[in-house]
Amino acid sequence: MNDKELAIGSLDDPSLLPDMKLHFLGYGSGYNPKLGSNSAYMKLPGDGMLLLECGESVFRTLLGVRYFNKIKYLTIVLSHTHSDHSGSLGTLVPYVYRRTGTPVNIIYGNIRQRRELQGLLDNFGVPPMHYRLMSVRRANAINLERRVELFGGAPLFIEMMKTHHAPELACFSILIMQMTDDNPSQIFWSGDTDDFLPAIAMLQTFPNCRVYHEANTSHAISHTDMDEFNEALLTFADDDIRLADKWRKRITLMHLNSDAACRHAAKLGYSVPRIGR
């Protein structure tokens, strides 16, 4: 199937659907570089890649990913611009442009985040021709026109929701949805946040939603405390242990601050990322 066929394909064509599977490049917190910068990618049709977060270790890790070395199109979404989420932009963007000749799409949630991203790219010295800054609203509208260069022609919809993390920055959680009528699935990516209620709402509302949530065991300000999140899950399940366990099976905890946090997450019944290549 060529690019033209992808661009005009039916939304019902299963060949256009991504597997809605995230492949992790790292899952450590900003102060836990041992586990790599918290980031994951999704394979898209037409040799496309959707990258969530672009922290300090991401470029180096991506160079070892076989799929990355054959992509034609790259779209990046960042929850915010702390360096453990954006530190590879200055190298990754020009590298991809010079290898493929195609500007990298960088989706932003609001004007404030656009200014932050623009300032970051300017400070890195990335030429404007190497990237396209695109509002999430515009990205969704363009993708309805079946643009291969954005999501590989896949029928995806992205929503960026403001969240509480760092008042000096625009901070978002990210919801990725398939625009299909049959058995739609969703991915909820929390970003860095101290508000876990939206994630619980996603579990209650969407039976096929996978939740990827940051968690911390050091009671850090502006991050989600793992034990508090676990207690809230049981509370919203009305103390139904089976329901809470069912929800936990759909949750992967990430942005973990230590090896002990990984062990604690697994002990509580949550998934912990595996590094995918």
Side-chain angles (χ1 to χ4, degrees):
M1 179 175 290
N2 59 34
D3 287 355
K4 183 177 180 182
E5 289 171 328
L6 277 171
I8 62 176
S10 164
L11 289 178
D12 296 326
D13 185 348
S15 67
L16 299 184
L17 299 180
D19 59 12
M20 292 293 281
K21 179 180 179 181
L22 293 184
H23 305 265
F24 271 80
L25 301 169
Y27 55 96
S29 65
Y31 297 152
N32 186 21
K34 176 184 176 182
L35 295 180
S37 299
N38 195 85
S39 178
Y41 69 89
M42 182 188 295
K43 297 178 181 179
L44 298 176
D47 293 329
M49 175 184 280
L50 176 64
L51 179 65
L52 297 176
E53 316 290 17
C54 192
E56 292 131 341
S57 68
V58 167
F59 177 67
R60 180 178 181 177
T61 306
L62 273 174
L63 290 178
V65 175
R66 186 177 303 173
Y67 183 78
F68 171 71
N69 293 309
K70 69 176 184 177
I71 65 168
K72 296 178 182 177
Y73 311 110
L74 175 63
T75 297
I76 303 174
V77 187
L78 275 65
S79 62
H80 63 295
T81 55
H82 276 155
S83 63
D84 61 315
H85 294 256
S86 67
S88 282
L89 277 179
T91 308
L92 179 61
V93 171
Y95 176 85
V96 171
Y97 176 80
R98 287 167 181 160
R99 189 174 66 79
T100 67
T102 303
V104 174
N105 302 300
I106 305 174
I107 296 176
Y108 61 86
N110 61 13
I111 292 299
R112 181 181 179 188
Q113 190 184 36
R114 188 191 193 284
R115 290 172 180 155
E116 292 165 0
L117 287 165
Q118 186 67 73
L120 195 62
L121 291 161
D122 288 345
N123 287 334
F124 281 144
V126 180
M129 70 178 67
H130 289 186
Y131 60 89
R132 303 186 190 99
L133 285 175
M134 186 180 302
S135 72
V136 66
R137 181 177 61 84
R138 179 60 178 153
N140 289 326
I142 286 176
N143 205 46
L144 287 172
E145 301 168 4
R146 318 302 301 131
R147 288 290 293 275
V148 175
E149 296 88 347
L150 192 59
F151 298 134
L156 294 180
F157 180 89
I158 291 182
E159 183 176 349
M160 298 183 71
M161 297 161 281
K162 286 184 179 180
T163 193
H164 305 138
H165 175 52
E168 64 272 16
L169 295 176
C171 300
F172 297 91
S173 295
I174 301 161
L175 180 64
I176 305 171
M177 298 172 280
Q178 284 186 347
M179 297 184 295
T180 56
D181 293 330
D182 296 333
N183 201 31
S185 56
Q186 304 84 18
I187 288 174
F188 179 79
W189 180 273
S190 72
D192 286 7
T193 183
D194 61 6
D195 183 7
F196 45 72
L197 295 182
I200 295 176
M202 294 294 165
L203 293 167
Q204 292 174 315
T205 304
F206 300 116
N208 294 326
C209 184
R210 286 285 311 177
V211 168
Y212 296 84
H213 211 284
E214 73 116 287
N216 200 291
T217 55
S218 61
H219 307 288
I221 298 173
S222 301
H223 290 279
T224 293
D225 181 272
M226 193 183 300
D227 289 325
E228 289 182 4
F229 179 60
N230 193 55
E231 290 174 10
L233 205 69
L234 185 58
T235 298
F236 277 86
D238 293 327
D239 293 325
D240 184 335
I241 295 176
R242 290 185 179 180
L243 178 58
D245 286 342
K246 187 176 180 180
W247 285 348
R248 286 190 193 95
K249 291 178 180 178
R250 293 159 55 196
I251 300 171
T252 298
L253 295 184
M254 60 183 189
H255 202 270
L256 297 165
N257 59 295
S258 65
D259 290 343
C262 297
R263 292 192 294 270
H264 190 51
K267 182 178 179 180
L268 292 174
Y270 297 98
S271 295
V272 174
R274 294 182 179 180
I275 301 299
R277 292 291 185 270

